[in-house]
Amino acid sequence: MNSRHNKTALEQYSVNDYRTPDGYTADIAVFTIVPIEQKPFSPPIMDLQMMLIQRSMQNSEGKPNIEADKWAIAGGFIDESETSYMAAHRELEEETGVKDLHIEHFGVYDKPGRDPRGWIISNAFFAIVPHHKLSNRKAGDDASDVRMFSVKDVLSLDLAFDHKQIIQDSIAVISQKLLQTTTAKEFLPAEFTYSELQAVLATVTNDPVIMSNPSFIRKMKQLPFIEAIEGKTVTRTSKRKAQLYRFKEVPINYSIYHMS
Amino acid sequence: MNSRHNKTALEQYSVNDYRTPDGYTADIAVFTIVPIEQKPFSPPIMDLQMMLIQRSMQNSEGKPNIEADKWAIAGGFIDESETSYMAAHRELEEETGVKDLHIEHFGVYDKPGRDPRGWIISNAFFAIVPHHKLSNRKAGDDASDVRMFSVKDVLSLDLAFDHKQIIQDSIAVISQKLLQTTTAKEFLPAEFTYSELQAVLATVTNDPVIMSNPSFIRKMKQLPFIEAIEGKTVTRTSKRKAQLYRFKEVPINYSIYHMS
DNA sequence: TTAATAGTGTCTCTGAGACACTATCGT
DNA sequence: ACGATAGTGTCTCAGAGACACTATTAA
């Protein structure tokens, strides 16, 4: 293989003596948090789920599809005229019909042989879709099904390519983000009660400080990045009126050298 | 320019209709912390610096080089047989002669037009080189000079391509990592005194808890990821014997919902 | 003895966490 | 009135942070 670096050619701005990748893709782990057991006047119990697509047995031309029948995260090729970030937005909108979602890059997967079709580099993103917006999703050309799975179950599926690794990493990343950044707000409406935030965090932690109601209610008022909305209450989680809160935009600085 | 490869093989999977990238590179922001003002029996004062290379005016054939005379971070093309992570290690060793460095991926730069030579994707890494190992660095073919710059000065240089952005991001990332992870250990010898760790952290923070000696000395003993080395002391930072510490491998869990 | 750094004694005050209690409101 | 959830009162105890102090040692 011509993997030797031809310096002379490079100096002439000609990069094409290098072997170049066969493809550049964006793959997106789509997360949502769905309320299960939503009784009226009760705090929600939530589940962290992700959207997977099942690859068709045959492609649009009727030929056998690669990695057929396996589950995979949504993705597609990146165009020369866009960044991978833009491509992720475009593809996610094509897949779910939802715009302006929160998307973050979390890794690059480029291990040789990861895709049997060639040297294909995957930029991995995670996206957060508020549950109520995720209704009109549809299977595309290459997909026979689109479905949501709880993160508890997803790793036991038969997954395409190296998506098991990508999915595992994405779950670790989003769990950490939920606890160490204000990412939780992406799963919540702009105004929310303490028990709604608590239910979101409960999908990734069982920390007693967060799970104990009196503790957590008091915490809400102290946290610099959350503010109570003066005099605004709601009764969707209980018969008694519950205070509404919103996230505030403040820089978050902390360090492990402040731990005890 | 011909950037297509292996056309027939790809055809049956219909990826060949996509334009493929012209190049796939790894760029590495190399950081080191150097003691300045190292008087005997005194705690060190340190400076966070990064290694840049200056691009030659002309290439080896005497033709004008692209982005000539500007400063850039080290980097090079990734080969099909390796991951970008392996490439970063290889290139860094070629550049500095040092093996087994701590390297972390922190971003992908793929904005259209970022490199005038074509559609070239850059995987950005930061690397940490202990200061004493960084002596035999040398200018390569494309470089007229290799030099260390304090992070305080580096952004006012004339930087090649989109390296200003990459460097800015790398500084933000490493500052955050120093405070929120145990990355500081990569800059330190295996056994270190409190004032050495303090000096490393001082390059990115002026938090009073960290800068106050009595506070910080006491903190060291409580932190779950640091342990004192029983009965082992040293006098390199003071005439009085100072306790040696080492980093312990423990999982670090914390959340912003524990802040006050 | 001095100068410089490492490290401790001790006080105050905040706030975490536990647990029992009160408040509110639809049914 | 009941039941369920939101929210408060209050106590205890740990630990953070401030500041003054002591300890150690080369020169």
Side-chain angles (χ1 to χ4, degrees), chain B residues 45-199:
Chain B
I45 296 176
M46 298 192 178
D47 189 39
L48 178 59
Q49 302 190 342
M50 50 192 305
M51 187 185 83
L52 297 187
I53 64 176
Q54 189 174 32
R55 298 175 61 83
S56 310
M57 288 304 288
Q58 303 174 339
N59 63 23
S60 42
E61 291 180 337
K63 295 184 181 171
N65 205 358
I66 194 164
E67 296 275 24
D69 217 35
K70 296 188 178 178
W71 292 93
I73 59 177
F77 284 85
I78 299 166
D79 195 78
E80 186 182 10
S81 63
E82 61 187 359
T83 62
S84 60
Y85 186 70
M86 290 157 57
H89 272 281
R90 175 177 54 70
E91 281 157 11
L92 190 52
E93 191 183 337
E94 287 169 13
E95 188 71 45
T96 66
V98 188
K99 281 190 183 187
D100 300 326
L101 294 170
H102 178 87
I103 292 186
E104 271 181 65
H105 185 264
F106 73 88
V108 175
Y109 295 82
D110 60 0
K111 195 164 151 196
R114 62 172 290 278
D115 189 317
R117 292 168 299 185
W119 185 15
I120 295 183
I121 294 145
S122 166
N123 266 300
F125 295 82
F126 70 85
I128 295 178
V129 187
H131 172 245
H132 57 277
K133 291 193 184 173
L134 196 63
S135 40
N136 53 351
R137 62 181 190 266
K138 56 182 190 302
D141 278 357
D142 255 8
S144 57
D145 200 0
V146 182
R147 203 180 295 176
M148 303 301 301
F149 293 92
S150 170
V151 295
K152 297 190 208 84
D153 308 325
V154 77
L155 288 172
S156 46
L157 293 171
D158 191 13
L159 298 163
F161 307 114
D162 55 355
H163 285 202
K164 179 159 189 168
Q165 186 65 52
I166 299 178
I167 288 170
Q168 208 167 305
D169 293 351
S170 73
I171 294 172
V173 167
I174 205 155
S175 300
Q176 188 192 298
K177 290 267 175 186
L178 275 174
L179 294 174
Q180 299 185 3
T181 73
T182 56
T183 297
K185 78 165 166 233
E186 306 298 335
F187 286 109
L188 289 166
E191 306 184 340
F192 52 89
T193 67
Y194 93 91
S195 60
E196 289 166 339
L197 173 56
Q198 196 180 38

Side-chain angles (χ1 to χ4, degrees), chain B residues 42-43 194-195 218 221 237-238 240 243:
Chain B
S42 282
Y194 93 91
S195 60
R218 275 197 251 255
K221 298 174 183 159
T237 62
S238 84
R240 174 168 177 181
Q243 175 66 49

Side-chain angles (χ1 to χ4, degrees), chain A residues 27-38:
Chain A
D27 289 321
I28 308 140
V30 180
F31 288 92
T32 194
I33 288 191
V34 311
I36 53 183
E37 262 194 72
Q38 180 62 300

